């Protein structure tokens, strides 16, 4: 690591933990030197949340007592119960479901 050859350091750390899996110091270096893990956030954007909330405020009286499914401020489905609403949706990714009271 002092020489800056992190690729070799990573390989050595991985080989070492195979032989000495209980050595905490080796586990620490293997973790530090491991390639980064990239994850994708599947939550809706703040903009989608805002436009969905705006839609609910604007249409509250019109759809009172109903369940609605929204995506990016657009009405996708309407039903009397959550189960009926979900049955209508083929693609539920990024969909906001709520009852209007």
């Amino acid at each position: 690591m002092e020489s800056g050859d992190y690729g070799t350091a990573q390989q050595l750390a991985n080989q070492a933990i195979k032989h000495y899996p209980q050595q905490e110091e080796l586990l620490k270096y293997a973790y530090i030197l491991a390639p980064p893990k990239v994850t994708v956030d599947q939550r809706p954007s703040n903009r989608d949340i805002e436009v969905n909330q705006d839609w609910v405020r604007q249409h509250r009286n019109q759809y009172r007592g109903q369940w609605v499914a929204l995506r990016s401020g657009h009405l996708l489905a309407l039903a009397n119960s959550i189960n009926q609403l979900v049955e209508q949706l083929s693609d539920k990714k990024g969909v906001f479901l709520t009852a209007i009271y």
Side-chain angles (χ1 to χ4, degrees), residues 13-21:
N14 287 334
Q15 289 175 4
I17 62 171
K18 289 179 184 175
H19 297 289
Y20 306 101

Side-chain angles (χ1 to χ4, degrees):
M1 286 183 34
E2 288 180 14
S3 69
D5 188 359
Y6 299 110
T8 300
Q10 180 185 21
Q11 291 173 355
L12 288 172
N14 287 334
Q15 289 175 4
I17 62 171
K18 289 179 184 175
H19 297 289
Y20 306 101
Q22 302 302 321
Q23 293 291 322
E24 289 191 27
E25 191 76 11
L26 290 174
L27 291 170
K28 179 179 87 171
Y29 284 115
Y31 177 78
I32 290 169
L33 294 166
K37 294 180 182 176
V38 177
T39 59
V40 177
D41 189 355
Q42 297 294 328
R43 293 179 292 179
S45 70
N46 285 342
R47 178 72 181 130
D48 284 342
I49 293 169
E50 289 175 21
V51 295
N52 288 335
Q53 289 174 342
D54 287 343
W55 188 96
V56 170
R57 279 191 288 274
Q58 291 173 9
H59 297 90
R60 175 169 280 130
N61 291 330
Q62 184 179 357
Y63 294 102
R64 191 171 302 278
Q66 300 285 306
W67 280 86
V68 296
L70 304 171
R71 182 183 290 132
S72 301
H74 299 283
L75 180 64
L76 301 176
L78 174 70
N80 291 321
S81 73
I82 185 72
N83 292 335
Q84 291 173 351
L85 186 65
V86 171
E87 286 176 8
Q88 295 179 48
L89 301 170
S90 58
D91 179 15
K92 297 168 189 72
K93 187 174 182 177
V95 176
F96 174 68
L97 307 175
T98 189
I100 308 290
Y101 293 105

